[in-house]
Amino acid sequence: MKSQKQLPISTGNRVLAALPKAVYKRLMPQMERVLVKTGQFAYDVDKPIKFVYFPITGVFSLVTFMEDGEGVEVATIGNEGMVGLPLFLGVDRTSGKAFTQVPGDSLRMPAAVFKKQIRRQGPLTQTLQLYTQALMMQISQGMACNGKHSIRQRCARWLLMTQDRIGAETFPLSQEFLALMLGVRRGGVNKVATELRQAGLIQYSRGVIRILKRKELEEASCECYRLIKREFDRLLGSPQKQYAIQVPGRTVRQRV
């Protein structure tokens, strides 16, 4: 039997936190807690999806690719969601990739177990329907944001969203990933990061970012941050909800 420990939901996953307590307790033994490192895949292009992930402290990128091989990020997923939504929608593979952008812990469930749970048509299915709507809103708002707002505003939004998911002022984030998130060249990322650093809002050195002035960073962001956050809060409830119940406590390393 795996070791167990107390884990407050406020430091866990919001999709799972939105479930009734009895359902949450029933699902926990069917998951394992895994540590995923930067750049590791949750799933790859046109390959069977073997697991779904409920991030706790890590952040994943969903990326689609052009014919020239260039990748474009369409969404990021952290502790507000689930990675592996194609399985929920009835397919076992997709044309995009999902990989870790910021390393951290996730709860992982085998695809076969997940599909069995979904067939029950219970609270997990209903909650994931709400999450799907929230994610669609995030993607559509992100597309509008990319077309209307400055790199500085978009960068501030992504940094705020990442901090919300990590739950810490300091987190690793390379210029390469930040450029992918914003859909710009690394030169543009370096310029805006320098501006935010000189304004005293962040510290940025060797791929590690520290947010110094949260309120001022929110002011530097566009309205998209508030709109996306409001939608997730509306559909999934407050991120402060807690269950002091047992979850898998043993962390295993993610296999590539």
Side-chain angles (χ1 to χ4, degrees):
M1 179 180 295
K2 295 179 181 179
S3 60
Q4 303 287 307
K5 69 177 181 180
Q6 297 291 110
L7 179 70
I9 275 291
S10 60
T11 59
N13 180 275
R14 290 181 64 183
V15 169
L16 298 178
L19 298 173
K21 191 171 183 177
V23 175
Y24 181 85
K25 292 179 70 174
R26 173 171 55 79
L27 290 175
M28 285 305 100
Q30 303 180 66
M31 291 194 260
E32 63 179 346
R33 187 166 176 162
V34 296
L35 175 63
V36 286
K37 295 185 293 184
T38 302
Q40 291 186 331
F41 291 114
Y43 56 79
D44 205 346
V45 176
D46 293 330
K47 294 183 179 179
I49 299 174
K50 298 180 179 179
F51 298 94
V52 298
Y53 294 79
F54 296 89
I56 299 173
T57 56
V59 179
F60 291 79
S61 281
L62 303 186
V63 179
T64 189
F65 290 87
M66 304 292 104
E67 287 186 350
D68 62 4
E70 183 177 355
V72 179
E73 184 182 78
V74 295
T76 55
I77 299 175
N79 63 0
E80 81 292 344
M82 185 203 77
V83 181
L85 205 58
L87 283 176
F88 175 66
L89 299 175
V91 296
D92 70 347
R93 63 196 70 200
T94 182
S95 60
K97 292 183 180 182
F99 60 89
T100 312
Q101 178 192 99
V102 179
D105 283 352
S106 292
L107 293 174
R108 183 176 75 176
M109 179 184 290
V113 175
F114 175 75
K115 288 189 284 188
K116 181 178 180 181
Q117 293 297 327
I118 293 304
R119 286 195 293 269
R120 298 169 72 114
Q121 295 292 314
L124 178 60
T125 300
Q126 296 161 8
T127 301
L128 286 175
Q129 288 172 339
L130 296 176
Y131 168 66
T132 302
Q133 169 59 28
L135 182 62
M136 289 175 60
M137 185 272 184
Q138 176 190 321
I139 294 171
S140 61
Q141 191 71 37
M143 292 177 62
C145 184
N146 289 343
K148 291 291 186 180
H149 297 139
S150 68
I151 298 176
R152 179 187 174 97
Q153 290 174 308
R154 289 152 51 198
C155 183
R157 172 172 67 90
W158 280 119
L159 293 178
L160 290 167
M161 291 175 66
T162 302
Q163 185 187 29
D164 289 346
R165 290 156 168 169
I166 301 300
E169 294 178 346
T170 303
F171 47 87
L173 191 64
S174 69
Q175 284 195 11
E176 179 183 2
F177 274 128
L178 195 52
L180 182 64
M181 289 163 65
L182 299 174
V184 299
R185 297 185 181 277
R186 289 185 61 178
V189 169
N190 183 63
K191 182 175 183 292
V192 73
T194 299
E195 291 175 357
L196 293 175
R197 184 174 66 244
Q198 291 176 344
L201 276 60
I202 66 170
Q203 287 181 348
Y204 187 46
S205 177
R206 297 182 180 180
V208 176
I209 286 180
R210 182 181 181 188
I211 294 179
L212 300 176
K213 296 180 179 179
R214 167 88 189 195
K215 182 178 179 181
E216 286 82 353
L217 193 62
E218 289 182 5
E219 292 172 354
S221 176
C222 53
E223 72 270 19
C224 299
Y225 169 71
R226 296 184 297 275
L227 293 173
I228 292 170
K229 183 178 185 302
R230 185 175 66 189
E231 184 73 351
F232 274 93
D233 289 349
R234 181 179 75 87
L235 294 173
L236 296 179
S238 169
Q240 301 303 316
K241 181 180 176 181
Q242 294 188 359
Y243 291 156
I245 63 176
Q246 303 293 323
V247 301
R250 183 171 65 89
T251 298
V252 300
R253 291 195 175 275
Q254 162 73 16
R255 299 179 180 86
V256 179

